[in-house]
Amino acid sequence: MRTLLQETIERLLADTVTPDLLRAAETGVWPADLWAEIEALGLPFAAVPEDLGGTGASWSDIFVVVRACGAAAAPVPLPEAILANSLLASAGLAPPESGVIVFAAGSADAPIADVPWARHAQWLALRDTTTGRIALYSLTDARIAPDSNVAGEPRDTVTLAPGSLIADADTSAATDAVLLGGAMLRSAQMAGALGRLTEVNADYANERVQFGRPIGKFQAVQQQLAVLATQAAAAVAAAEAAFLMADPAPDLLTTASAKAVSGEAAGKGAAIAHAVFGAIGFTHEHSLHFLTRRLWAWRAEYGSDAFWAERLGRTIAAAGDDGLWPLVTGAFAETTNP
Amino acid sequence: MNLLDQFGPPVLPTGLGPLRTAVREFVAEWTPTSTPEKRALSWMGFDADFSRLLGTKGWLGLSIPKQYGGHDASPFERFVVSEELLAAGAPVTAHWIADRQSAPLILRHGTEAQKQRYLPAICAGELHFCIGMSEPASGSDLASVRTKADRQADGSWVLNGRKVWTTNADRCHFMIALVRTDPASERHAGLSQIIVDLTLPGVMIRPIKDLSGHEHFNEVTFDDVRLEADALIGVEGDGWAQATSELAFERSGPERFLSAMTLFRCLVGAVGPTPDARQAMEIGRLAAWLISLRSMSISVTAQLASGEDPVWAASCVKDLGTGYEQDTVEVAMRLIDSLPPGEQAATTRRVLAIVQSMAPSFSLRGGTREILRGILARGLGVR
Ligand SMILES: Cc1cc2nc3c(=O)[nH]c(=O)nc-3n(C[C@H](O)[C@H](O)[C@H](O)COP(=O)(O)OP(=O)(O)OC[C@H]3O[C@@H](n4cnc5c(N)ncnc54)[C@H](O)[C@@H]3O)c2cc1C
C-alpha cells in the first residue's frame, strides 16, 4: 500500500506542480485539474474505512502522501481533506462523495479563524467546541473573510450560514483531535519540504561556481548542507513515528515530539538553505521560497515547537524521574511492552 | 540517494517485551547499590563483575552465533538490552567495546582458531578489548598511522609505535590495533588490523587523566613487542576497509544519544511534577528529541537487521545524537537556578558537574562532528 501510494502521489505532483502553477495559486487561482486527478485517485478518502467508501489505509502508509505534498509544496488541501474525512468517519458520518473538504475546530455560531483553504472548499468538518460533536457543514453559503499565512496559503475566517449543517454525531475523539491531527499533518509536510530543500541545495551547490569551482567544494558549505540533511532526517523520523502511532487517533507523545522537532528543524533548515542560495534565493522569481515560506508557516500552525515542547514537558514532569524512560520507550508500539 | 527514504517507520518487532522487562527489573535491583554520580558516567563506568553478571544472564554477544557462546539473536534484542542498560546508567564500559565491535569484527574476519579463542570469553563478559586506532600524529587523519608491525621470517610480528586516547587500555586484555604492515606503503594501503595481548613484554600503558579527573583513556607504547603469526586479523593490507566498516557498528547505537540520560532523569526529578512554563518547555524539548532520535536509531537497527549497511543514516544519528547529549548540559545549565531547593537539586548539581566535564568528548570520540559531516556531505553528492 505504502509503495503504491508513494509512487502515485509523487508522480502526480511531479507532473503537475510547476513553479508556474505555484505562482498562479498564490494569486488565487484554484488548480482544478490537479484536484480532479486527486479525487479520481480517491486520495482524499485514504484514511476512511472501506465500509464507508474509503481506502482504509493506515496513517503510517498515508505518511508518504502527506510528506509528498510538503515536498512538492502542493497548492491543494489534500492533507486537510484526508484528515477531515477521517474525522467524519470516526464519528460514523459518511464523507461527501466529491468536492473539497477541510477541517476546523470552533463554534458553529461564531466566526472560525484560520480555516485552511476555506475559500476553495465546499465542505467543512467541524469539531464543534460548544457541543463537543463532529459536524459536516456545507460552505456554499458561508461568509468567508480571506486571509493567508506567510506562504500565501489561504487561511480564511469562516462564518457558517444558518441551515448549512448537513449531519452531526457524537464523537469519542479527544477534545484536541483537530489540534493534534493538524500538528501531525504539518510535521510530515515540513519533513517533506526539508527533504526536498536538501536535494535542491545539494544540486545548487554542485552547479553554482565561485572562485573557479562549485561552491559545494568548499568545506564550509558542505558542513552546512550536512546540518540541513540531519535536520531533514530528524523531521522525517519524528513524523514517521507520529504517523505510525496515529491509529486509531493521533497520539500525544509522538505528535508533540514530531511537531517540536520538525518545527525546530524547519527554522534551522530554511536558514541554511537561504544562506547557501545567496541572493538569487532571496528573489521572488526563484522557487526556493515556495518551500522556505511554507516551512515558516507550517512551523507556526497547530502549535509551535515551543507550545508542543511545553505540553510534552508537563506530561514528562508528571511522570517523574522514574517515569521518564518507560514513557519514552512506551512511545512506540512494542505490543508486549509493560 | 533519496534522503527521505533513509529512515523508515520505527517498528520494533513484537516479542521483545519479556527481554526488556527482565533487563529493566535486573537494573532496578542493581540501581540502589550505585549512586547518581556513578551512573552519570554512563558507558564510561567500569565494573568487571557487573559485566560478568550480564554474561551469565545471556545479555552479551547477542548477535554472535551459539557455537561461539553467543545467542544468535537479532540486532533488535541487542538494541533493547543496550538501551535499557544505558538509560539506567549501568557500568558497561568493561565489555562495551568487545561486545559492540571486537566480537563482530572477529566473527566476520577472524580465523576459526581466533573465533574459538576469543568469542566465548567475550560473550561471557570475561574478556575485554580496546581499540587502538588514534596515534599522537593521527587523529581524524587515521590513514596516516605510523605504528608498524614487521613480519619476521617465521611469520611472527614485531610491533613498534605508539597509540593514544585508547579507552580502557589499562584494564583490558587485548587491543585491536590498526597498524602499518607494509613499510613501503602510504595512506590507506598497507594497513592491517592486529590483535595485541596487552600483557606482553614491551607494551607500556600510561593512563591519561582527562579534564573530569578520571583516567579513562591511555597512551600505549609498543617497543619491539613480539606477536605470534596469528595476531593478524583478517587480510593483510585490508585493515583500512575492515576498520572503517567496523566504525559503522559504533555510530548508530543508543549510546550516541543516552550518554547524558542520568542528567536528564535527575533534572526531571528535581523540577518536580508541576513545572513552570520555562521548565516544561526545556524538558519537553529534550524529550521530543530523545523520542525522535530513538525513532531514527530503531529504523537504522531495522536496516541492520535486514542486512543493509546504513552508513549515511548511522552518521546522521551520531551527529544529531551527540549534539543532543551536549544540549542536555545546556538545558541543565539554563534550569539549574530554578530547581526547588532540596536533595534532588543538590544531586542534579553534582551530576551536572560530571556530565558537563565529559560532554566535549561526546562529539570527538568515534569520529569528530566535522568528519561525520564530511561523510554526510559525500552522501549528498557534494564531495
Ligand atoms: C573520550 C575519548 C575516547 C577516545 N577513545 C579512543 C579509543 O578508544 N581508541 C582510539 O583509537 N581513539 C580514541 N579516541 C580518539 C578519537 O577517535 C579522536 O580524538 C578523534 O578521531 C579526533 O582526533 P584528534 O583528537 O587527534 O583531533 P584532530 O584530528 O587533530 O582534530 C582537531 C579538530 O580539527 C578538525 N579536523 C581535523 N581534520 C579535519 C578535516 N579534514 N576537515 C575538517 N575538520 C577537521 C576536527 O574535527 C577537530 O575539530 C578517543 C577520544 C576521546 C575524546
Side-chain angles (χ1 to χ4, degrees):
Chain A
M1 178 72 93
R2 185 175 164 118
T3 315
L4 180 68
L5 280 172
Q6 184 171 350
E7 283 171 7
T8 309
I9 185 75
E10 286 181 358
R11 194 174 326 113
L12 173 63
L13 296 178
D15 290 349
T16 48
V17 183
T18 59
D20 283 345
L21 185 89
L22 283 164
R23 256 175 225 112
E26 261 185 50
T27 64
V29 178
W30 171 247
D33 293 347
L34 173 58
W35 188 260
E37 294 223 39
I38 283 172
E39 276 198 355
L41 291 165
L43 291 170
F45 306 99
V48 175
E50 285 170 82
D51 56 359
L52 282 171
T55 318
S58 69
W59 279 106
S60 186
D61 288 342
I62 291 168
F63 171 68
V64 294
V65 176
V66 181
R67 188 182 75 176
C69 289
V76 282
L78 175 56
E80 284 84 351
I82 293 174
L83 184 67
N85 284 328
S86 116
L87 283 170
L88 292 177
S90 72
L93 299 173
E97 273 170 28
S98 71
V100 177
I101 183 166
V102 295
F103 66 83
S107 182
D109 45 22
I112 309 164
D114 288 325
V115 182
W117 300 91
R119 76 192 71 161
H120 298 302
Q122 285 81 56
W123 312 104
L124 178 72
L126 183 72
R127 162 79 194 190
D128 194 312
T129 46
T130 311
T131 64
R133 289 161 80 82
I134 294 272
L136 173 62
Y137 282 88
S138 162
L139 289 179
T140 315
D141 298 319
R143 198 143 39 85
I144 306 235
D147 201 351
S148 58
N149 65 19
V150 63
E153 294 179 309
R155 298 293 184 260
D156 303 331
T157 297
V158 171
T159 309
L160 293 166
S164 61
L165 175 69
I166 308 292
D168 74 339
D170 271 331
T171 175
S172 60
T175 336
D176 53 1
V178 158
L179 182 66
L180 273 169
M184 187 179 87
L185 295 180
R186 293 294 181 260
S187 72
Q189 287 169 283
M190 285 192 274
L194 281 163
R196 176 62 56 81
L197 209 52
T198 309
E199 286 165 13
V200 299
N201 266 256
D203 289 347
Y204 185 72
N206 280 330
E207 283 160 19
R208 171 70 175 167
V209 173
Q210 286 293 283
F211 299 96
R213 47 187 163 149
I215 56 169
K217 294 295 162 216
F218 296 111
Q219 201 187 42
V221 174
Q222 291 170 358
Q223 299 265 314
Q224 288 297 301
L225 288 179
V227 174
L228 169 56
T230 60
Q231 296 298 314
V236 171
E240 277 274 15
F243 278 68
L244 177 69
M245 298 310 291
D247 294 304
D251 159 72
L252 173 65
L253 278 187
T254 47
T255 300
S257 301
K259 191 64 168 54
V261 165
S262 57
E264 210 178 297
K268 285 191 190 141
I272 291 174
H274 275 295
V276 169
F277 266 87
I280 192 78
F282 189 62
T283 61
H284 202 264
E285 178 77 23
H286 198 276
S287 44
L288 183 66
H289 65 81
F290 291 127
L291 290 168
T292 54
R293 285 190 302 136
R294 276 171 176 76
L295 284 168
W296 298 330
W298 296 339
R299 180 183 187 181
E301 292 177 351
Y302 304 108
S304 66
D305 23 306
F307 170 89
W308 285 109
E310 186 182 333
R311 224 174 127 175
L312 189 56
R314 294 197 188 282
T315 309
I316 300 280
D321 48 358
D322 287 338
L324 169 64
W325 181 245
L327 207 104
V328 167
T329 51
F332 302 142
E334 185 192 325
T335 51
T336 41
N337 195 31
Chain B
M1 183 190 74
N2 185 349
L3 172 80
L4 291 178
D5 290 323
Q6 296 294 308
F7 295 92
V11 183
L12 278 171
T14 58
L16 295 169
L19 176 62
R20 184 183 295 283
T21 309
V23 181
R24 199 172 278 184
E25 282 172 357
F26 168 78
V27 164
E29 240 168 75
W30 160 83
T31 302
T33 69
S34 165
T35 62
E37 289 85 341
K38 283 187 186 158
R39 296 196 288 276
L41 296 177
S42 182
W43 48 292
M44 290 290 125
F46 190 101
D47 183 342
D49 294 336
F50 188 84
S51 290
R52 219 170 292 122
L53 194 53
L54 292 179
T56 62
K57 290 271 177 192
W59 293 334
L60 300 184
L62 280 162
S63 57
I64 301 299
K66 287 211 170 87
Q67 65 185 114
Y68 301 119
H71 303 281
D72 270 324
S74 79
F76 284 112
E77 282 160 285
R78 186 162 187 282
F79 179 89
V80 166
V81 171
S82 300
E83 70 167 355
E84 287 297 327
L85 292 171
L86 292 166
V92 293
T93 200
H95 68 267
W96 198 251
I97 303 288
D99 178 73
R100 180 182 70 186
Q101 53 202 105
S102 314
L105 178 84
I106 293 167
L107 181 69
R108 199 192 266 191
H109 300 290
T111 61
E112 186 55 36
Q114 287 170 332
K115 292 182 202 174
Q116 306 267 8
R117 177 170 176 197
Y118 300 111
L119 293 181
I122 291 179
C123 296
E126 285 166 358
L127 210 51
H128 309 149
F129 275 68
C130 58
I131 310 166
M133 294 202 192
S134 309
E135 296 182 3
S138 304
S140 302
D141 185 12
L142 190 57
S144 67
V145 296
R146 283 191 292 217
T147 297
K148 59 181 172 65
D150 292 320
R151 174 93 79 173
Q152 306 299 296
D154 63 356
S156 67
W157 303 90
V158 174
L159 185 64
N160 279 290
R162 177 170 300 170
K163 292 292 176 183
V164 76
W165 320 130
T166 319
T167 301
N168 291 334
D170 55 336
R171 336 182 243 202
C172 277
H173 306 100
F174 292 92
M175 170 194 282
I176 296 187
L178 182 69
V179 300
R180 203 159 287 287
T181 43
D182 177 357
S185 68
E186 278 185 33
R187 309 291 304 162
H188 308 82
L191 296 173
S192 302
Q193 284 185 303
I194 208 151
I195 306 184
V196 186
D197 177 343
L198 293 173
T199 62
L200 287 173
V203 177
M204 239 164 357
I205 302 177
R206 185 179 66 88
I208 304 171
K209 196 177 271 192
D210 67 29
L211 65 78
S212 75
H214 291 98
E215 291 179 348
H216 287 139
F217 54 23
N218 301 265
E219 181 186 56
V220 184
T221 313
F222 306 113
D223 186 12
D224 281 332
V225 179
R226 300 202 147 262
L227 302 172
E228 288 166 20
D230 84 338
L232 179 78
I233 173 145
V235 179
E236 187 176 339
D238 268 6
W240 179 261
Q242 287 177 202
T244 46
S245 77
E246 174 188 340
L247 286 172
F249 289 112
E250 66 163 284
R251 285 189 176 153
S252 65
E255 71 267 38
R256 295 308 178 186
F257 53 90
L258 290 175
S259 304
M261 192 61 193
T262 297
L263 176 58
F264 189 13
R265 279 184 69 145
C266 285
L267 207 51
V268 171
V271 159
T274 51
D276 65 26
R278 173 164 68 112
Q279 293 167 330
M281 200 195 86
E282 295 278 16
I283 283 174
R285 184 172 159 272
L286 285 180
W289 278 95
L290 176 55
I291 288 173
S292 305
L293 281 159
R294 194 165 168 269
S295 171
M296 302 181 95
S297 188
I298 291 172
S299 87
V300 174
T301 304
Q303 294 176 49
L304 287 171
S306 60
E308 291 161 57
D309 201 3
V311 182
W312 194 89
S315 302
C316 242
V317 175
K318 182 169 184 285
D319 186 26
L320 285 170
T322 54
Y324 159 81
E325 293 172 340
Q326 291 168 337
D327 224 29
T328 308
V329 172
E330 287 295 303
V331 167
M333 286 305 289
R334 288 200 290 266
L335 292 183
I336 201 74
D337 62 351
S338 78
L339 304 178
E343 188 48 45
Q344 283 185 305
T347 305
T348 305
R349 262 188 205 95
R350 288 195 300 271
V351 165
L352 170 59
I354 295 166
V355 179
Q356 186 162 43
S357 44
M358 300 202 307
S361 74
F362 296 165
S363 56
L364 296 175
R365 57 188 186 188
T368 69
R369 170 171 293 144
E370 290 72 24
I371 294 303
L372 287 176
R373 290 182 179 171
I375 294 170
L376 292 170
R378 180 167 291 132
L380 293 173
V382 289
R383 252 187 93 199

